[in-house]
Amino acid sequence: MRLQSISARGTAAVAIICIICIISSVDAKKPSLTFRPQRSITFTSRQRQQQSIQQQNYDNNIFNTILDIRGGASRKKRGGKTATLYSSSSQNKKSSPKKTATGKAKVRGSVKDEPEKSAVSDTLKKYKAILPLTRIYITTVGIVTLLGLLLGEEMAQGVLALDPIRTINGLELWRPITAACFLGPPSIGWLMNAYYLFEYGSSLERAFGTAQHLLFLFIQIMFLSVCSIFFGQPFFAQSVITSMLHVLSRSMPNQKVKWLIFTVPYWTLPYGLMATDVLQAQGNAAAALPHIMGILSGHLYFFHKNVWPKIGGEDWLVPPEFMRRKLDQDYGGGDVSKSKESISNALKSRKKGKGRKLG
């Protein structure tokens, strides 16, 4: 019995000692439990501070982007300088490319860098690019048309029309020139005739040279003045245009061109224009007379210039040497004259090709 009591007491003592050890170990670990919350609290505050800094930087970037789009100044950044509306130095302009309103880099050669072009300067540039004799003819047409508007219809007839008595007896030598340049008052028909004059005149002058084209116009004005006096026509500018077209059409007669909705050979185009004017005049045959005069005058020049020398005759329609040196020197003199002769020969021997619309 004593042994059992002793063993029970020993067991109880051992249990008490174990409990005391556990309690002491728990008390020893209490400081560590209080230290852990401090670490988590410190880490949370630092994370919040970093998030606030990131949010502030994000807000600054958004605000600066809005200001860049609007064109204003940006906020002051840490470690940088404050930009103002007038803080653009020459060094920054050279180093950094310019930007558009969308933030993209500007393409070089923009409108600000290039000189501004007006419609007047562009028109003058195109006007100066016209061949010289054609430019003079078109300018004379414009001046005569303006005089006709200022003088009125009756006064224009008395001053500009071809009058043989005043031309010969009164020495009013400008009348054949004004009769060859007056296309009537401004209208749709006036614009079309002016375009034909520019188109056909430029083609002839480019192909045969300025001196030869001047000789062509001189022959047309002389012959058409005689025909106009005979038929009682005060003006013959339409006949000059038809004569130009006839010479061009005879140079390449089989070339296919467009007339209205039809495809016809080139040599028939002057007759097509004559038929168009007759239809516009409601079948009046008098509207065909200027075209008939132009076809006869143009064929006179073409025959003596191209047909007669081939059958053994002499080509007497050659401009003088001084005229060729004076008028063709801007285009290189003799070398370019030879090239123009080769162009004219190519036009004469041109074969059938694809059609194109003229007029």
Side-chain angles (χ1 to χ4, degrees):
M1 292 292 292
R2 290 182 178 179
L3 291 173
Q4 291 178 352
S5 61
I6 292 172
S7 62
R9 290 177 182 176
T11 303
V14 170
I16 291 170
I17 292 170
C18 291
I19 291 170
I20 292 171
C21 291
I22 291 170
I23 292 171
S24 62
S25 63
V26 170
D27 294 334
K29 291 181 180 180
K30 280 183 179 180
S32 63
L33 292 174
T34 58
F35 179 72
R36 285 179 181 176
Q38 291 179 358
R39 284 184 180 178
S40 62
I41 291 170
T42 305
F43 178 74
T44 304
S45 62
R46 288 180 180 178
Q47 187 176 9
R48 289 178 179 175
Q49 186 177 3
Q50 290 178 357
Q51 288 179 356
S52 64
I53 293 172
Q54 291 178 358
Q55 184 67 26
Q56 186 178 3
N57 292 332
Y58 179 74
D59 295 338
N60 290 332
N61 290 332
I62 293 176
F63 186 77
N64 290 331
T65 303
I66 295 173
L67 288 177
D68 288 337
I69 294 174
R70 192 191 65 182
S74 61
R75 282 183 177 179
K76 185 175 180 181
K77 297 181 180 180
R78 295 183 179 181
K81 296 181 179 180
T82 304
T84 62
L85 292 173
Y86 305 99
S87 64
S88 57
S89 61
S90 60
Q91 184 176 2
N92 293 333
K93 288 182 180 178
K94 293 180 181 179
S95 60
S96 60
K98 297 180 180 179
K99 294 184 178 181
T100 58
T102 57
K104 295 183 179 180
K106 262 188 182 178
V107 181
R108 291 184 178 180
S110 60
V111 178
K112 294 182 179 179
D113 299 333
E114 296 178 355
E116 295 183 357
K117 294 182 180 180
S118 62
V120 177
S121 62
D122 192 24
T123 304
L124 289 176
K125 185 177 180 181
K126 291 180 180 179
Y127 173 77
K128 292 179 180 179
I130 303 174
L131 295 177
L133 195 56
T134 305
R135 182 172 66 245
I136 293 173
Y137 200 161
I138 293 175
T139 305
T140 308
V141 169
I143 293 173
V144 172
T145 304
L146 183 60
L147 286 175
L149 289 176
L150 295 176
L151 296 175
E153 185 177 357
E154 294 182 0
M155 187 66 70
Q157 290 279 343
V159 175
L160 304 177
L162 180 62
D163 189 345
I165 298 176
R166 292 185 177 182
T167 303
I168 298 173
N169 296 336
L171 295 180
E172 297 179 359
L173 301 179
W174 69 83
R175 290 183 178 274
I177 298 175
T178 55
C181 297
F182 187 69
L183 292 172
S187 60
I188 299 298
W190 187 94
L191 289 176
M192 295 300 296
N193 289 326
Y195 171 74
Y196 293 153
L197 183 62
F198 163 74
E199 185 70 22
Y200 305 145
S202 298
S203 299
L204 283 176
E205 187 174 357
R206 189 179 297 108
F208 303 123
T210 303
Q212 187 67 41
H213 189 54
L214 179 60
L215 181 61
F216 166 79
L217 289 178
F218 178 77
I219 293 173
Q220 299 306 307
I221 291 174
M222 295 301 295
F223 183 79
L224 289 173
S225 296
V226 176
C227 292
S228 298
I229 292 172
F230 182 77
F231 290 105
Q233 297 290 320
F235 302 103
F236 53 86
Q238 181 64 58
S239 301
V240 176
I241 297 173
T242 306
S243 66
M244 291 180 180
L245 179 57
H246 180 76
V247 173
L248 285 173
S249 65
R250 296 305 301 174
S251 299
M252 37 187 177
N254 297 322
Q255 178 74 26
K256 299 296 183 181
V257 294
K258 288 286 186 180
W259 175 67
L260 300 179
I261 60 173
F262 307 103
T263 301
V264 296
Y266 200 175
W267 67 269
T268 62
L269 192 57
Y271 305 98
L273 292 179
M274 179 175 63
T276 303
D277 284 353
V278 171
L279 292 176
Q280 289 179 352
Q282 298 179 356
N284 188 4
L289 183 58
H291 296 280
I292 294 173
M293 291 168 50
I295 291 172
L296 292 176
S297 179
H299 188 72
L300 175 69
Y301 173 86
F302 181 81
F303 177 81
H304 287 91
K305 182 65 181 176
N306 300 103
V307 179
W308 181 250
K310 291 182 180 179
I311 60 178
E314 183 181 358
D315 184 10
W316 59 276
L317 295 179
V318 178
E321 190 64 27
F322 75 91
M323 188 184 295
R324 298 180 67 180
R325 287 197 304 266
K326 183 67 176 178
L327 297 179
D328 292 337
Q329 64 181 355
D330 295 337
Y331 303 96
D335 295 336
V336 178
S337 298
K338 292 179 181 178
S339 66
K340 289 177 180 178
E341 290 178 3
S342 64
I343 292 173
S344 64
N345 293 331
L347 287 175
K348 297 172 191 176
S349 60
R350 189 169 182 176
K351 296 181 180 179
K352 293 182 179 181
K354 295 181 179 180
R356 59 171 182 163
K357 186 176 181 180
L358 293 177

